[in-house]
Amino acid sequence: AQSVTQLDSQVPVFEEAPVELRCNYSSSVSVYLFWYVQYPNQGLQLLLKYLSGSTLVESINGFEAEFNKSQTSFHLRKPSVHISDTAEYFCAVSDGENTGTASKLTFGTGTRLQVTL
Amino acid sequence: KAGVTQTPRYLIKTRGQQVTLSCSPISGHRSVSWYQQTPGQGLQFLFEYFSETQRNKGNFPGRFSGRQFSNSRSEMNVSTLELGDSALYLCASSWGGSYNEQFFGPGTRLTVL
């Protein structure tokens, strides 16, 4: 069984300030890791993912996340946030061993990032 | 390339009724997954279909069912609706395989009165 913990339900931050959204996971097998973003009244969009290789992954809009196997974490960071980054962010895991079988994401409870001027 | 579409976008039903939601995946995708999103429980996996076969199922009662057609379009059905079924139902499509990105539709907002 897999589980994901997002430690902060809400994170308020001023524009141009750095931010870190925390994510820890638990799994008896290896996992793939994802961050999704949800804007109001919309579905989820993939922000970035870790499958293998370099533990630091980046998105096109300035976010990055680092996979830390020993701490079972995949925290999301951005050095300078913008008003438009205000959204709900979800960390998710999928089975990294039975890769050809099923596409099932286990999500954390989400972190609402609120960026203000 | 058209994204994942879900119909209808909004639904209002009363307790005891049944409802069918539809999802059209991205062209070429053979995997369709369904998720329920509520403020209290967050995002929970309902089931996944791949090439018309259910490959995985979450912990939901039998009132929740689904199917997939040969063109990969999928429907989910909820029978005997309860107030607690009020939620945003999200559909996601992918090529299949747990390493692939899932592309989400905008969701169907179901309200049960």
Side-chain angles (χ1 to χ4, degrees):
Chain A
Q2 298 159 349
S3 66
V4 178
T5 302
Q6 291 184 247
L7 299 167
D8 306 299
S9 59
Q10 294 187 64
V11 173
V13 63
F14 289 111
E15 192 175 38
E16 297 184 3
V19 70
E20 178 179 80
L21 307 184
R22 296 179 291 172
C23 171
N24 289 86
Y25 69 92
S26 173
S27 176
S28 57
V29 299
S30 61
V31 295
Y32 298 127
L33 294 151
F34 305 82
W35 274 100
Y36 281 84
V37 59
Q38 186 177 33
Y39 298 101
N41 300 315
Q42 295 186 28
L44 280 73
Q45 302 171 33
L46 180 69
L47 199 56
L48 43 77
K49 63 182 177 183
Y50 172 78
L51 302 182
S52 64
S54 173
T55 57
L56 183 66
V57 290
E58 299 176 351
S59 72
I60 57 173
N61 55 358
F63 283 95
E64 63 179 30
E66 185 159 21
F67 170 55
N68 188 318
K69 188 174 182 180
S70 62
Q71 298 187 6
T72 60
S73 68
F74 191 53
H75 301 332
L76 181 70
R77 295 189 295 261
K78 189 171 186 180
S80 177
V81 296
H82 190 267
I83 288 282
S84 60
D85 293 325
T86 294
E88 188 98 22
Y89 292 78
F90 293 92
C91 182
V93 300
S94 66
D95 190 332
E97 290 193 3
N98 301 303
T99 59
T101 54
S103 303
K104 172 189 173 182
L105 288 169
T106 300
F107 285 93
T109 50
T111 297
R112 170 139 185 87
L113 176 63
Q114 181 67 53
V115 182
T116 55
L117 294 172
Chain B
K1 195 176 193 180
V4 178
T5 58
Q6 292 187 246
T7 56
R9 291 292 311 277
Y10 302 92
L11 263 180
I12 299 176
K13 293 286 187 178
T14 56
R15 279 180 298 175
Q17 287 187 308
Q18 76 164 16
V19 67
T20 299
L21 312 181
S22 180
C23 172
S24 292
I26 289 173
S27 178
H29 285 184
R30 296 165 65 188
S31 168
V32 174
S33 299
W34 289 89
Y35 296 84
Q36 181 196 64
Q37 185 176 23
T38 60
Q41 300 297 318
L43 280 154
Q44 293 188 289
F45 174 78
L46 280 155
F47 31 66
E48 187 228 4
Y49 286 86
F50 184 85
S51 295
E52 302 179 65
T53 300
Q54 187 181 86
R55 285 204 300 191
N56 206 347
K57 190 176 188 303
N59 295 323
F60 279 82
R63 300 186 297 106
F64 291 82
S65 63
R67 60 177 175 169
Q68 187 180 33
F69 303 96
S70 58
N71 61 357
S72 292
R73 190 178 70 85
S74 176
E75 290 181 346
M76 68 163 282
N77 184 277
V78 188
S79 62
T80 319
L81 284 166
E82 300 178 359
L83 295 179
D85 297 333
S86 294
L88 181 67
Y89 290 89
L90 293 164
C91 162
S93 78
S94 77
W95 296 106
S98 58
Y99 48 85
N100 287 130
E101 174 184 355
Q102 292 195 27
F103 293 82
F104 284 80
T108 294
R109 172 75 63 186
L110 172 65
T111 302
V112 182
L113 302 175

